Amino acid sequence: MADNFSSTVYHEQDADAAALDDETVAVLGYGSQGHAHALNLYDSGVDVVVGLREGSASWEAAEDEGLDVRTVPEAAKAGDIVSILVPDRAHIPVYNQVEDHLEAGDTLQFAHGFSIHYSQIEPPADVNVTMVAPKSPGHLVRRNYNRDQGTPGLLAVYQNVTGDAETKALTYAQKIGCARAGVIKTTFQEEVESDLFGEQAVLCGGVTELIKLGFETLVENGYSPEIAYFECLNELKLIVDLIYEGGLENMWHSVSDTAEFGGLEEGRHIVDDQVRENMQEALERVQTGEFARKWISENQCGRPSYHQLRRADSEHQIESVGEDLRGLYDWNDQ
């Protein structure tokens, strides 16, 4: 833990490799994260049980990998650590099948803290509640593990009734490969609120709106949709790759001087203080639970707004233009 970070960052040498020797881990779900956690734990020598609903299409696939597959209640009953790795919307129905099988001293674990932080699930007071969250889609967690590489992850403890909840969570993170890269200690609140804000303000909401507005501005001013698509969407990947590889400075170093000056000079006028104020308001809606209540209500009434927004986005001109242009690339067929 000698890293020069403001947060605590754990590595493999910080984990107690034997902390799960006498534990059975029940992995509930076999989707993106579930399959990666289950297989990585299994290959690391941990006793793993996978919990799925009867008739699940994943049942046979998990068994073919040599995993012990049971129904969700049966898996939860067998597990000392019960890791719920299904989408947020399925947390409550899955937890309802798990609750009666949690014993004092067991660990209830998540990869995202939404249900705990917003009190959708209120766990028993006599169990540990932890979170181990790889910062990557599951297929990359699995691929990196097989390449003897690591995937950075987050670790949080919400309830520590046995005194060793963090020790077990860190070992779990080690066994799935996260400690090879680094495991950052956080809290359920910080993970949830920062995650939702990042998705809304930058990664999913902010960037897609910026792309569409840039595209629309060029088209409305007489430029061809094809040129607008390349300039405002297609080339974004090149810029993001540069930023991912070495931060903003690497990107500025790699683009032309004209692009750098234009970006530095004009970018601050486009994404200005009004945008910052909008971001602050979005963060406050996350912090107060307003967004969570809206999303929960949206799911309860069949997602009418979600489907309307999704449909409108899919009908944007940029989608039809992009579909045609992507056909020009040979790699698209692959």
Side-chain angles (χ1 to χ4, degrees):
M1 291 185 293
D3 309 88
N4 186 27
F5 296 117
S6 59
S7 302
T8 300
V9 181
Y10 296 113
H11 298 285
E12 286 204 284
Q13 64 268 23
D14 300 310
D16 178 358
L20 301 186
D21 283 357
D22 298 322
E23 305 284 315
T24 296
V25 176
V27 173
L28 307 185
Y30 201 68
S32 176
Q33 291 293 332
H35 93 280
H37 288 226
L39 291 172
N40 291 3
L41 289 167
Y42 179 76
D43 288 347
S44 294
V46 177
D47 184 18
V48 179
V49 177
V50 174
L52 297 172
R53 61 176 174 79
E54 291 190 53
S56 169
S58 300
W59 195 296
E60 184 177 352
E63 286 188 329
D64 287 345
E65 295 284 358
L67 296 170
D68 180 356
V69 185
R70 309 182 192 182
T71 64
V72 168
E74 290 170 343
K77 186 176 182 179
D80 303 296
I81 298 173
V82 179
S83 190
I84 297 181
L85 297 174
V86 296
D88 290 339
R89 65 182 182 274
H91 278 195
I92 294 176
V94 168
Y95 178 72
N96 289 340
Q97 301 177 64
V98 166
E99 186 175 12
D100 291 342
H101 301 290
L102 293 172
E103 299 179 355
D106 282 352
T107 295
L108 182 64
Q109 187 163 278
F110 300 87
H112 182 41
F114 187 99
S115 297
I116 293 293
H117 181 57
Y118 292 117
S119 302
Q120 292 298 288
I121 291 175
E122 296 186 3
D126 60 356
V127 303
N128 298 325
V129 181
T130 60
M131 176 172 56
V132 175
K135 297 304 292 179
S136 169
H139 72 278
L140 292 179
V141 175
R142 180 59 178 163
R143 186 177 72 184
N144 289 344
Y145 178 92
N146 284 330
R147 292 178 174 178
D148 293 325
Q149 298 172 345
T151 301
L154 304 180
L155 180 155
V157 176
Y158 184 78
Q159 286 183 183
N160 183 12
V161 300
T162 61
D164 61 354
E166 183 173 306
T167 298
K168 291 180 179 179
L170 179 56
T171 301
Y172 182 106
Q174 179 201 43
K175 299 298 184 181
I176 65 173
C178 289
R180 297 173 182 174
V183 180
I184 302 172
K185 185 175 180 179
T186 184
T187 65
F188 273 65
Q189 178 181 358
E190 183 178 55
E191 185 273 336
V192 173
E193 293 179 356
S194 62
D195 183 70
L196 293 177
F197 172 78
E199 292 168 348
Q200 295 167 22
V202 181
L203 304 177
C204 301
V207 73
T208 54
E209 289 304 311
L210 193 63
I211 289 170
K212 287 186 292 184
L213 288 176
F215 175 89
E216 291 169 6
T217 299
L218 286 176
V219 172
E220 289 168 1
N221 280 273
Y223 299 91
S224 74
E226 292 77 18
I227 295 299
Y229 180 89
F230 276 116
E231 294 301 333
C232 296
L233 188 152
N234 188 75
E235 293 188 21
L236 180 65
K237 181 186 183 307
L238 307 178
I239 298 300
V240 170
D241 283 349
L242 292 171
I243 295 172
Y244 178 83
E245 291 166 5
L248 298 177
E249 183 60 31
N250 181 62
M251 183 272 291
W252 292 129
H253 176 74
S254 301
V255 300
S256 70
D257 291 347
T258 305
E260 182 177 9
F261 178 72
L264 292 170
E265 173 64 22
E266 295 297 330
R268 58 199 172 99
H269 299 303
I270 296 168
V271 182
D272 58 11
D273 286 341
Q274 181 61 51
V275 175
R276 184 189 295 274
E277 292 173 11
N278 292 340
M279 287 185 171
Q280 182 62 42
E281 291 173 3
L283 178 58
E284 289 171 2
R285 287 191 287 272
V286 168
Q287 292 172 327
T288 61
E290 180 183 343
F291 170 78
R293 290 190 293 272
K294 181 182 289 186
W295 177 230
I296 292 164
S297 175
E298 183 74 14
N299 281 284
Q300 290 172 341
C301 62
R303 298 185 170 188
S305 296
Y306 170 88
H307 291 306
Q308 181 181 5
L309 291 167
R310 187 68 185 86
R311 183 168 53 253
D313 210 60
S314 68
E315 293 171 354
H316 193 284
Q317 185 185 12
I318 201 171
E319 290 296 326
S320 58
V321 172
E323 184 176 2
D324 293 336
L325 288 176
R326 288 191 295 273
L328 299 176
Y329 292 91
D330 292 336
W331 48 257
N332 196 53
D333 293 332
Q334 301 174 17

